[in-house]
């Protein structure tokens, strides 16, 4: 019998989008509220896993043409360069800096280099989770 | 700015990450990792020279003051071990270029290699007990991958055991740190040392000291906890085995050295006595193993256990001679074990077997290999002009001062039996009648031999230049004998 995943696939289209938005919100809110790179990254990969459940490996790979191993490397590189970057400013490694900026639409915003470190964590978590799931899924 | 002390960790970390991008291009991988290794040796040399001039360097990561942030502490002990690690790492890397094979190289071998160095260097340099745990895990995760990479049956079987043992010991490490934290309320090693000496090490802290001995004993393979080592190491390919044999157990020994001199030196009657007994038993078990086997890999593997016992015995003496002897022997052993494993690897490549009974007469075709092995063998046993001598002599002197004559006798007899076990490889492998081996008998080994000769040369220079090295060793043992030096250097801004 041919299975029909119409309901699952339609719900996934909406849900995956909402989950990704929520995960980004959690990622960006990590400094002031519970959340951060780790949970955000896990939740984003949950959205991708939901896509994998509704469709198949090939379709999702076509949808998101990302090499997740390179994603891990990029994440690590971002974090390590944030750590090493403080050397350029003659401060001990991993010293973070922040400042207030005025943007036209957003108004007064505080930007912090710890977010860059967190961005690295976010990418590594997505990369690792997806690499694990993809390699297990692909192996026969 | 003393960011330089973190360079031995940062450099391999960046290299490892960059190498992921070039996963399929082995030529580029080799180039980058060799360059980074050479830079690592240069940085470590600079660090040793810098510390010998300026004393202990503490880097307060993230500009947070000492007990509240993580500190990276480079004293002479850590700097010397980092230098040795860089040297061994470079030599093993050179060997891997020829000895590891394409199928492993393409699956991130060189990346993982660099991450292992990150873990080892980080463990030597950190000044925070939980950070030490994290670097242990970095090192162990990398070692799991290196052990299983290639996926032969023996590797899969042994890595399962290896991972199981290490997961349990890591869990025990976390539990021990939790106990310690609930009592002293801090994770900074200098601060822990200060608070324990203020409290005079009550009974519960002695319990924690013994728990640490169990944890680090599992990592460093001392007597009742060494059982995982012979099988696990036997399964690894030669360059990986050289790296493991030279570095991994030594990190466990270093951690015992650090915790027992900095944190728990107050009730020596119990903790250090226990360490001494276990060390002696470790030597005895190692000697039995080294003599019993006819397999060249197994013989060297049991020699690791013996060396761990000798170093731990030196630590348990807690006097100037014992500790400097241990440090001397630790550095010597890291270099010579790497060299021996590489040499044994070449012998196995030529003969296609690791059984001594099936080899013979190698010296006629491979004289350089033979005499290099001979030099390495007598260095290992501690014949006077070579590098194993000074360390063992100092340990024996320390034992005589302390009146630990049983230990002294065991160390002396063990040297003899080490010599017997290793010379047996020389006699049966290199002398005697030539045998024919199934692959072509005469293969080209020059490129594999170079890194081994390099290491043996370093070891011989280290033995001959004892007078030159000794001041560095003395500087390395100062904070071990008087932990206040270490504590003051780390917590200086407090007063």
């Amino acid at each position: 019998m041919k299975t029909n995943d119409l309901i699952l696939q339609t719900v996934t289209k909406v849900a995956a989008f909402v989950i990704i938005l929520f995960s980004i919100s959690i990622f960006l809110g990590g400094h002031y509220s519970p959340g951060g790179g780790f949970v955000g990254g896990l939740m984003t990969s949950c959205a991708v896993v939901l896509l994998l459940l509704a469709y198949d490996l090939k379709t999702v790979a076509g949808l998101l043409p990302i090499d997740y191993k390179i994603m891990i490397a990029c994440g690590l590189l971002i974090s390590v360069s944030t750590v090493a970057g403080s050397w350029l400013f003659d401060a001990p490694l991993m010293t973070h800096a922040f400042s207030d900026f005025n943007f036209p639409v957003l108004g007064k915003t505080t930007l912090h280099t710890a977010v860059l470190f967190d961005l690295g964590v976010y990418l590594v978590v997505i990369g690792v989770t997806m690499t694990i799931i993809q390699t297990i899924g692909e192996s026969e | 700015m003393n960011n330089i002390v973190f360079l031995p960790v940062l450099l391999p970390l960046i290299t490892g990450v960059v190498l992921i991008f070039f996963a399929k291009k082995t030529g580029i991988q080799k180039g980058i990792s060799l360059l980074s290794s050479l830079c690592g040796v240069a940085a470590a040399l600079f660090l040793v020279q810098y510390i010998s001039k300026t004393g202990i360097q503490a880097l307060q990561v993230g500009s947070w003051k000492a007990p509240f942030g993580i500190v990276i502490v480079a004293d002479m002990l850590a700097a010397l071990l980092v230098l040795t690690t860089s040297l061994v790492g470079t030599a093993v890397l050179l060997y891997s270029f020829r000895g590891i094979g394409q199928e492993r190289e393409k699956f991130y071998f060189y990346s993982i290699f660099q991450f292992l160095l990150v873990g080892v260097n980080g463990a030597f340099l950190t000044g925070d007990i939980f950070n030490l745990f994290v670097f242990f895990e970095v090192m162990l995760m990398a070692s799991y991958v290196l052990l299983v990479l290639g996926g032969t049956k023996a590797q899969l079987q042994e890595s399962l055991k290896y991972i199981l043992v290490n997961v349990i010991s890591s869990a025990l490490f976390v539990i021990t740190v939790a106990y310690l934290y609930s009592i002293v309320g801090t994770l900074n090693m200098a601060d822990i040392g200060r608070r324990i000496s203020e409290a005079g090490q009550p009974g519960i802290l002695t319990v924690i000291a013994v728990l640490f001995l169990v944890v680090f004993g599992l990592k460093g393979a001392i007597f009742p906890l060494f059982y995982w080592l012979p099988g696990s190491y036997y399964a690894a390919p030669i360059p990986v085995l050289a790296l493991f044999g030279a570095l991994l157990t030594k990190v466990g020994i270093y951690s015992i050295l650090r915790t027992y001199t900095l944190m728990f030196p107050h009730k020596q009657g119990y903790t250090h006595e226990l360490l001494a007994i276990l060390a002696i038993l470790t030597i005895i078990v190692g000697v039995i193993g080294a003599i019993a086997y006819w397999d060249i890999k197994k013989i060297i593997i049991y020699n690791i256990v013996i060396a761990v016992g000798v170093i731990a015995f030196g630590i348990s003496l807690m006097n100037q001679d014992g500790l400097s002897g241990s440090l001397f022997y630790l550095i010597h052993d890291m270099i010579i074990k790497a060299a021996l494993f590489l040499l044994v690897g070449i012998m196995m490549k030529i003969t296609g077997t690791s059984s001594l009974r099936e080899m013979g007469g190698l010296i006629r075709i491979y004289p350089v290999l033979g005499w290099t092995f001979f030099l390495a063998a007598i260095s290992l046993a501690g014949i006077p002009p070579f590098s194993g001598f000074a360390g063992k002599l100092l340990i024996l002197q320390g034992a005589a001062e302390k009146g630990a004559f049983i230990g002294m006798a065991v160390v002396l007899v063990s040297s003899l039996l080490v010599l017997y076990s290793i010379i047996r490889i020389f006699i049966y492998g290199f002398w005697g009648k030539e045998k024919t081996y199934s692959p072509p008998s005469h293969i080209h080994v020059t490129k594999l031999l170079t890194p081994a000769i390099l290491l043996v040369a370093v070891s011989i220079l280290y033995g001959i230049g004892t007078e030159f090295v000794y001041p560095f060793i003395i500087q390395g043992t100062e904070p071990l004998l008087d932990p206040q030096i270490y504590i003051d250097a780390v917590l200086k801004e407090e007063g």
Side-chain angles (χ1 to χ4, degrees), chain B residues 290-336:
Chain B
I291 293 175
Y293 284 97
W294 278 85
D295 186 303
I296 50 179
K297 244 163 134 186
K298 270 265 158 46
I299 293 172
I300 315 274
I301 286 172
Y302 274 99
N303 269 299
I304 300 178
V305 180
I306 303 173
V308 163
V310 171
I311 298 164
F313 178 65
I315 296 170
S316 76
L317 297 169
M318 281 301 274
N319 51 25
Q320 173 71 58
D321 284 340
L323 287 174
S324 48
S326 274
L327 181 50
F328 231 111
Y329 199 74
L330 182 57
I331 295 169
H332 145 79
D333 193 64
M334 286 167 81
I335 298 172
I336 206 72

Side-chain angles (χ1 to χ4, degrees), chain A residues 43-81:
Chain A
M43 201 177 273
T44 307
S45 39
C46 279
V48 185
V49 171
L50 186 62
L51 284 174
L52 282 174
L53 286 176
Y55 300 92
D56 57 297
L57 280 169
K58 238 185 196 161
T59 320
V60 177
L63 203 63
L64 299 166
I66 304 168
D67 184 346
Y68 290 104
K69 292 194 274 303
I70 297 295
M71 197 174 191
I72 300 174
C74 289
L76 282 170
L77 204 59
I78 292 171
S79 289
V80 174
S81 14

Side-chain angles (χ1 to χ4, degrees), chain B residues 182-356:
Chain B
S182 71
I183 290 161
V184 297
T186 177
L187 290 171
N188 181 297
M189 297 213 261
D191 206 24
I192 294 172
R194 192 186 60 178
R195 293 193 188 187
I196 289 179
S197 77
E198 277 166 8
Q201 198 174 335
I204 183 74
L205 283 165
T206 305
V207 173
I208 291 170
V210 174
L211 273 175
F212 269 125
L213 185 60
V214 173
V215 171
F216 296 137
L218 264 166
K219 314 270 189 200
I222 61 174
F223 162 59
L225 311 165
F226 73 99
Y227 50 85
W228 55 271
L229 184 134
S232 298
Y233 279 22
Y234 193 76
I238 287 296
V240 175
L241 176 57
L243 212 55
F244 283 14
L247 304 179
L248 295 196
T249 50
K250 308 306 184 291
V251 181
I253 281 292
Y254 163 82
S255 307
I256 293 176
L257 180 57
R258 191 58 98 194
T259 48
Y260 272 49
T261 54
L262 179 61
M263 299 180 194
F264 308 109
H266 308 289
K267 290 269 157 49
Q268 292 186 17
Y270 188 79
T271 49
H272 290 62
E273 194 79 36
L274 181 66
L275 183 61
I277 295 167
L278 293 182
I280 290 169
L281 290 171
T282 311
I283 299 174
I284 294 172
V285 167
V287 163
I288 293 173
I291 293 175
Y293 284 97
W294 278 85
D295 186 303
I296 50 179
K297 244 163 134 186
K298 270 265 158 46
I299 293 172
I300 315 274
I301 286 172
Y302 274 99
N303 269 299
I304 300 178
V305 180
I306 303 173
V308 163
V310 171
I311 298 164
F313 178 65
I315 296 170
S316 76
L317 297 169
M318 281 301 274
N319 51 25
Q320 173 71 58
D321 284 340
L323 287 174
S324 48
S326 274
L327 181 50
F328 231 111
Y329 199 74
L330 182 57
I331 295 169
H332 145 79
D333 193 64
M334 286 167 81
I335 298 172
I336 206 72
K337 282 289 143 60
L340 278 171
F341 278 122
L342 296 185
L343 288 166
V344 162
I346 299 170
M347 287 171 75
M348 283 168 57
K349 197 144 224 165
I350 294 167
T351 60
T353 169
S354 65
S355 165
L356 258 187

Side-chain angles (χ1 to χ4, degrees), chain B residues 2 5 24 27 82-83 88 98 106 108 138 214 262 332 396 436 471 481:
Chain B
N2 53 8
V5 304
K24 303 293 167 218
V82 164
L83 176 61
V88 169
R98 288 277 154 178
K106 286 200 170 153
Y108 305 96
V138 171
V214 173
L262 179 61
H332 145 79
L396 291 174
T436 45
L481 288 161

Side-chain angles (χ1 to χ4, degrees), chain B residues 105-173:
Chain B
E105 278 173 341
K106 286 200 170 153
F107 284 92
Y108 305 96
F109 175 79
Y110 293 115
S111 273
I112 307 294
F113 188 101
Q114 298 292 334
F115 289 136
L116 187 86
L117 293 185
V118 172
V120 174
N121 282 340
F124 287 144
L125 284 170
T126 186
D128 182 287
I129 195 81
F130 198 75
N131 203 226
L132 177 68
F133 168 76
V134 173
F135 277 121
F136 255 111
E137 287 305 301
V138 171
M139 176 184 94
L140 289 171
M141 297 271 171
S143 73
Y144 301 155
V145 181
L146 285 180
L147 186 58
V148 82
L149 194 66
T152 62
K153 197 177 166 194
Q155 278 180 304
L156 291 171
Q157 205 173 4
E158 291 303 332
S159 63
L160 193 66
K161 287 182 207 162
Y162 179 72
I163 291 172
L164 197 63
V165 166
N166 278 303
V167 166
I168 290 169
S169 76
S170 295
L172 197 57
F173 196 170

